[in-house]
Amino acid sequence: MTDPQPVPNPRTPETEQPPRTFDGFTFGSATAAYQIEGGAAEGGRTPSIWDTYSHTPGVTEFGDTGDVADDHYHRWPEDVGHIARLGLDAYRLSISWSRVQPGGSGPLNPEGVQFYVDLLDALSAAGVEPVVTLYHWDLPQELEDAGGWPARETAVAFARYARLMAGALGTRVHTWTTLNEPWCSAYLGYASGVHAPGRTEPAAALAAVHHLNLAHGLAVAEIRDVLGADARVSVTLNFHVVRPQDPASQADRDAVGQIEALANGAFTGPMLEGAYPERLLTDTAAVSNFSFVRDGDLALIHQPLTVLGVNYYSTTMVRHSPAGDATSDNSGHRESAHTPWVGADRVAFVREPGPYTAMGWNIAPDALTGLLLDLSRRYPDLPTMVTENGAAFEDTVSPDGRVRDVRRVGYLHDHVAAVAAAREAGADVRGYFAWSLLDNFEWAWGYERRFGIIRVDYDTLERTWKDSARWYQRLLARRELPAVDDVD
Ligand code: FCB
């Protein structure tokens, strides 16, 4: 890419904080295969659990599916053009497993692989580093039919797939990510049932946690076996920043510990420390004895990582619920009669103070600073990268065609500033990826929640830059945080 010219910024008020610079920092934007690709039955792709789930009546808003989504499968050259014009340093995408390996087993499908080869080559030609996630929730349906993530064999199948993809894509990939948010795959997919495959079996959800961890560890080893010890490998977790309703209450603080173990420690424990947190095992003892953990598993899962992906949107507040009357989970996802919080029936979820996004998620950028500092203290040798952060709001198209999404600009501004604050305080944060490049299929919410910095008209599939895209472009060009109204 050519060197970006600095854009003058006459509007920044003199009282504004000193400019926060981002030299050497990676700015990107993120998407996921099922949310944008469409082309669901093309090029040899077979159904994933999200195809099956979204086609089940009543589970997604208005019955929306990812059949067409943003039609990125056909429009990717245009989308790479947007990425290049934005000036992104990196682009985080995911691979549709059933596109490259139909059914989740057997040889690779050359047509499916070629789609990603072409995409990665185009990104590379535009000077953009691809960060590639192998699993963003779209398990091949056949593997679910054989037991899904609660079955150990799924982790083995994932390792085979990872090995094949490392061979097929090789150094085209700048950074590999094994899993995106295994918390969602396990607990929303198998406990609350608001994500595919929609099962509501708490014990199976814990088995899924372990087999996702195992899948991660096995895949890291396979990628390094194929590409060498220097291959850049990561995982993306959605850390829950959990706060007590009454900080003075021991019972509320204990509830925080229980949710932290389920949400964070269940993954960071085995992946980064080599053991499950003790309290996870005791808190869930009535549901599972963890007999699915075999000798040697924890060593297989505990692999060195190059960078830790952090997805952050909002915070979680809890209190102790003596009556065990807590049914609301406040997880920020669709309501379910079944809780994703396995074994936590004495924890109640409290609505956080606003402001809120259109998801009902509270906006709390300070908590991102705290999270990044906390992670850098806990894992001082492991740099972090914010692999998702962004906001859904109800966008309107002005008569002049502009989408003045000032609240999204404000959200991005405040969270990028929060990352800068963490860096200034010593956290080793290497990158920030805005979720999302495009409006897309927001899982159970279908097309009703728009996170994109680029608008997608779902009738015409036309892409239009929102003001947030203009603002982000300016940030990238200057490497300094522009004011919120600096979008002309
Ligand atoms: C995350 C997912 C991503 C998107 C955002 C809003 O949990 O990883 O696909 O849906 O939330």
Side-chain angles (χ1 to χ4, degrees), residues 35 136-137 180-181 184 311 313 361 388 435 442-443 451:
Q35 295 181 273
H136 201 124
W137 307 351
N180 175 72
E181 301 193 358
C184 294
N311 287 359
Y313 291 90
W361 299 351
E388 281 183 31
W435 183 272
E442 179 45 37
W443 309 111
F451 275 91

Side-chain angles (χ1 to χ4, degrees), residues 3-69:
D3 283 347
Q5 294 302 307
V7 184
N9 178 13
R11 288 197 183 178
T12 306
E14 303 236 305
T15 52
E16 182 132 313
Q17 298 285 317
R20 302 182 188 263
T21 59
F22 292 97
D23 294 333
F25 186 81
T26 297
F27 278 109
S29 184
T31 61
Y34 191 71
Q35 295 181 273
I36 64 164
E37 282 183 7
E42 290 181 57
R45 182 183 180 278
T46 55
S48 75
I49 54 176
W50 265 99
D51 295 86
T52 309
Y53 186 73
S54 65
H55 278 269
T56 307
V59 305
T60 65
E61 195 80 353
F62 301 117
D64 289 345
T65 75
D67 286 0
V68 177

Side-chain angles (χ1 to χ4, degrees), residues 49-127:
I49 54 176
W50 265 99
D51 295 86
T52 309
Y53 186 73
S54 65
H55 278 269
T56 307
V59 305
T60 65
E61 195 80 353
F62 301 117
D64 289 345
T65 75
D67 286 0
V68 177
D70 293 342
D71 195 32
H72 174 74
Y73 185 66
H74 298 110
R75 293 167 196 254
W76 64 267
E78 179 189 345
D79 293 337
V80 172
H82 290 296
I83 289 167
R85 276 198 295 289
L86 281 163
L88 300 186
D89 304 312
Y91 172 58
R92 176 175 178 253
L93 64 120
S94 83
I95 291 183
S96 160
W97 185 348
S98 64
R99 187 180 296 292
V100 295
Q101 190 186 32
S105 62
L108 291 180
N109 163 29
E111 198 175 344
V113 172
Q114 195 60 43
F115 169 70
Y116 294 105
V117 166
D118 292 344
L119 175 60
L120 296 182
D121 285 348
L123 288 168
S124 163

